[in-house]
Amino acid sequence: MSDRQSFSEVSGPNGPMVTIVCLNYNNAADTISCIESVACLDYENCRLVVVDNASTDDSQQQLLAFQSQSSYSFELLLSEVNGGYSAGNN
């Protein structure tokens, strides 16, 4: 008998928790479109983390405004330093 738990034991009744990371850099329109798509998912055990990777345009303001108006709850992280793709996703 293994000490490891089966997938069904750790996933819970609604399936495993899934985290989606969406990285933005100077393209709030596409990122907002991505958020809207994730909000339409039928899968309930899901959370969205949006990372703005130190955009130099008005993306951060657009994302903050969208977040305050959206009925879909997501986490918004605003980076002051652009760490590149890898850092933004970690």
Side-chain angles (χ1 to χ4, degrees), residues 6-7 27-29 39 44 51 56-57 60 64-65 72 75 78 80 84:
S6 71
F7 181 75
N27 200 347
E44 294 180 14
V51 180
T56 57
D57 65 359
Q60 291 187 354
L64 284 166
Y72 181 74
E75 187 174 352
L78 304 175
E80 294 180 10

Side-chain angles (χ1 to χ4, degrees), residues 20 32-46 48 66 70-74:
I20 299 170
I32 289 170
S33 179
C34 177
I35 296 166
E36 292 171 335
S37 293
V38 171
C40 291
L41 293 175
D42 290 335
Y43 192 76
E44 294 180 14
N45 207 10
C46 176
L48 173 64
F66 181 79
S70 177
S71 61
Y72 181 74
S73 179
F74 62 94

Side-chain angles (χ1 to χ4, degrees), residues 16-22 38 43 45-50 75:
M17 170 58 83
V18 174
T19 300
I20 299 170
V21 177
C22 179
V38 171
Y43 192 76
N45 207 10
C46 176
R47 74 179 188 133
L48 173 64
V49 178
V50 177
E75 187 174 352

Side-chain angles (χ1 to χ4, degrees), residues 3 7 17 21-22 30-31 33 37 55 67 69 78-79 86:
D3 289 336
F7 181 75
M17 170 58 83
V21 177
C22 179
D30 282 349
T31 301
S33 179
S37 293
S55 289
Q67 184 183 40
Q69 298 169 1
L78 304 175
S79 179
S86 297

